[in-house]
Amino acid sequence: MEGPDPFAAYHEALEARHLAKLTFAEVRRALQALSSVYVERRGRMAEGAVFDGAGKRAAFALYYGPMHFLLVREIVRALGLRAPRRILDLGCVTGTAGAAWALECEPRARVDGVDRSGWAAAEARWTFARLGVDGRATRADAVAAPLPGPPAGVLAAFTVNELAEEPRRRLLARLVEAARMGSTALVVEPIARRVSPWWPEWAEAVRAAGGREDEWRFRPDLPDRLALLGRAAGLDSRELTGRSLLLPPGL
Ligand SMILES: C[S@@+](CC[C@H](N)C(=O)[O-])C[C@H]1O[C@@H](n2cnc3c(N)ncnc32)[C@H](O)[C@@H]1O
C-alpha cells in the first residue's frame, strides 16, 4: 500500500512503552524464558506460562509482535491477497499480524482481534491505535468467535498450535466454511515440525478444498534495537521464516 510505513514509529513507541517499566536485560531474560516455553517446554503453555509475568508479556510485545507483523506483511504481499473489508485476527495477542494485513488493504480493513488473554486484548487495542488501524479486541474463545460476513479475512497467525485437537478440528472446518462463503482464510505457523505436528493433515485438507500451502523465508530490514534484542536473547532474527495455508474466497 502507498504512503509512509508506520512500522518504524510504531516500534519506537513500543520500546518506549515497555522499557519504561523494565530494563533491556530483564526483557532479554524474559524473551529467553518465553522462547523456551514455545520451543522446548510446550506443556507449560497450557498452564498459562506464556504471559504469566510482566517480563514475558513485554518480551512478546517487543520481539514476537514486530517479527510477526513483518512476516505476515511479507506473506500477504507475496500471496497478493484480495483486500477484505474486515479481518478477524484469532489469538491476536498484540494484534500486529491482523494490523499488518489491514495496512496492506486499500481501503484499509477493520480488524477484530480475539484472544483468551485479557492482557493481550488490551495490548492489541494499543497496537491498533499506534498503527492507525481501525481495530477492536476482545477477550473470547477464538474457535467460537463469530465470523464477519464475506468478503472478510480470517487470520490465525501462530495460534493453531496452541489449540487442543478437538477445537483445532472445529476451527479447520470453520475456516473452510468461511472461504466457501466468500472470505479469505490465512493460517501462519512456524516451520518447526514439533510445534505443529498436525500441519500435514491441515495442508492436505486445505489443498483438497482448493487452497494452497507455502513456506517462506524473508530477509527482513529490522530496526537496530529489534535485531539487538533478538541477538542478545540468542535468537536468529536475520531471517523471517514461516509457513502458511491459504483458503481463497469462494472455493
Ligand atoms: C503465539 S500467540 C499468537 C500470536 C499472534 N497472532 C501474532 O501473530 O503475534 C497465541 C495466542 O493465542 C491465544 N489463544 C490460544 N488458544 C486460544 C483460544 N482458544 N481462544 C482465544 N485465544 C487463544 C493465546 O492466548 C495467545 O495469545
Side-chain angles (χ1 to χ4, degrees), residues 38-218:
Y38 279 138
V39 180
E40 295 140 27
R41 296 152 70 216
R42 297 186 54 76
R44 297 214 56 220
M45 268 191 316
E47 300 159 22
V50 175
F51 300 138
D52 64 358
K56 286 196 202 140
R57 293 173 178 190
F60 188 97
L62 279 172
Y63 186 75
Y64 287 108
M67 295 299 276
H68 293 174
F69 178 96
L70 294 170
L71 177 64
V72 169
R73 180 164 75 176
E74 290 302 326
I75 293 175
V76 166
R77 286 179 181 171
L79 288 171
L81 294 189
R82 195 197 287 178
R85 281 196 307 257
R86 287 176 63 176
I87 293 168
L88 177 63
D89 185 351
L90 301 172
C92 61
V93 197
T94 60
T96 54
W101 188 357
L103 288 166
E104 292 301 299
C105 299
E106 186 58 64
R108 210 169 268 186
R110 168 185 147 170
V111 182
D112 289 293
V114 173
D115 203 290
R116 65 180 172 197
S117 150
W119 166 76
E123 195 69 17
R125 288 192 280 272
W126 183 85
T127 301
F128 298 147
R130 289 309 306 193
L131 285 168
V133 168
D134 176 16
R136 290 151 194 72
T138 46
R139 184 178 186 180
D141 181 8
V143 182
L147 297 173
V154 184
L155 174 66
F158 302 95
T159 297
V160 182
N161 72 74
E162 295 201 10
L163 300 177
E165 191 172 341
E166 193 277 328
R168 200 166 62 228
R169 275 187 208 290
R170 263 190 293 141
L171 181 61
L172 177 58
R174 297 196 78 207
L175 295 179
V176 172
E177 184 56 19
R180 289 218 167 101
M181 302 293 286
S183 291
T184 304
L186 179 65
V187 175
V188 179
E189 285 284 321
I191 291 177
R193 259 163 207 252
R194 56 183 307 223
V195 175
S196 325
W198 44 270
W199 184 268
E201 195 188 320
W202 272 53
E204 200 181 313
V206 163
R207 278 193 304 267
R212 63 184 270 184
E213 174 193 12
D214 290 280
E215 203 168 295
W216 306 100
R217 287 180 189 279
F218 302 107

